[in-house]
């Protein structure tokens, strides 16, 4: 499938429309990183930015919640136009319930884990997820180095999805560029999130094309 989701965390917030148009034209969805300064030691942006992007977006909005109590905000993300909503497994008490809540609100539910959480923890929920988010850096900041152990984790999740016979996409998030995209797609990733490699480049459309090649 080879879908690219540019992370708007690395976009130019003074000229956001320019970067939104770039995603509309060359990429597949908007990855929106929502951080609360509590679940992760960083604060990003919230509803007004998501809503503004949604007004001109022609590609789906994929919000990645790195917040405590994501269940409290599900309806509001639906209201501002989010199509895909992921949260972290260890941010909630009952992941199955939150996945169901997201689906009931009309969005595609996704379940995320940091690199230090065993992938097996995702397995009981695969049939309830439209996608899982395998973090290839620790959630909290853009511009970090890709963690190589992700390849093994990705293969293990892919194998289990096939074993269970469920339709669940795999999104990999963090430190991704044209240097590692081919291998990730070959191992079964469906969606690659890339922030810095896209928006800090002189030629973002070429970087997106290279990642899909
Ligand atoms: C990290 C975020 C990522 C990040 C990706 O907490 O979830 O989506 O913005 O950015 P890069 O591509 O710079 O690692
Ligand atoms: Zn993210």
């Amino acid at each position: 499938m080879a879908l690219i989701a540019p992370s708007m965390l690395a976009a130019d917030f003074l000229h956001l429309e320019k970067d939104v148009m770039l995603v509309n034209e060359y990429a597949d969805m908007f990855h929106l990183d929502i951080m609360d300064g509590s679940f992760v030691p960083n604060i990003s942006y919230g509803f007004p930015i998501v809503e503004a992007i949604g007004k001109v977006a022609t590609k789906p909005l994929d919000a990645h919640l790195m917040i405590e109590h994501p269940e409290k905000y599900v309806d509001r993300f639906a209201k501002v136009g989010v199509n895909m909503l992921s949260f972290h497994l260890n941010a909630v008490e009952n992941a199955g319930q939150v996945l169901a809540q997201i689906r009931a609100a009309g969005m595609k539910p996704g379940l995320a884990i940091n690199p230090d959480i065993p992938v097996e923890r995702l397995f009981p929920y695969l049939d309830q997820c439209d996608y899982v988010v395998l973090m290839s850096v620790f959630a909290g900041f853009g511009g970090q180095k890709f963690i190589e152990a992700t390849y093994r984790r990705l293969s293990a999740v892919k194998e289990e999805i096939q074993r269970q016979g469920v339709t669940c996409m795999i999104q990999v998030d963090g430190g991704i560029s044209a240097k590692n995209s081919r291998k990730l797609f070959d191992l079964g990733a469906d969606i690659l999130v890339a922030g810095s490699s896209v928006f800090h480049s002189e030629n973002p459309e070429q970087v997106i094309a290279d990642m899909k090649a």
Side-chain angles (χ1 to χ4, degrees), residues 7 9 31 33 35 64 66 135 139-143 173-175 193-196:
S7 164
L9 196 60
H31 186 82
D33 288 302
M35 306 177 184
H64 172 198
M66 287 160 272
M135 295 304 301
F141 299 90
D173 183 5
V193 175
S196 327

Side-chain angles (χ1 to χ4, degrees), residues 87 94-103 107-111 122-132 164 166-168:
F87 61 93
N94 188 334
Q97 214 166 63
V98 183
L99 290 166
Q101 188 191 350
I102 293 170
R103 196 177 293 289
M107 298 175 288
K108 294 182 173 177
L111 192 54
L122 293 173
F123 293 176
Y125 305 103
L126 292 176
D127 61 334
Q128 277 186 275
C129 295
D130 277 52
Y131 63 115
V132 290
Q164 290 189 21
V166 292
T167 46
C168 173

Side-chain angles (χ1 to χ4, degrees), residues 67-86:
I67 65 174
E68 311 274 8
H69 293 296
E71 72 281 357
K72 287 189 186 168
Y73 302 97
V74 168
D75 290 337
R76 288 197 61 194
F77 280 105
K79 227 174 248 158
V80 293
V82 167
N83 309 94
M84 301 165 62
L85 189 66
S86 69

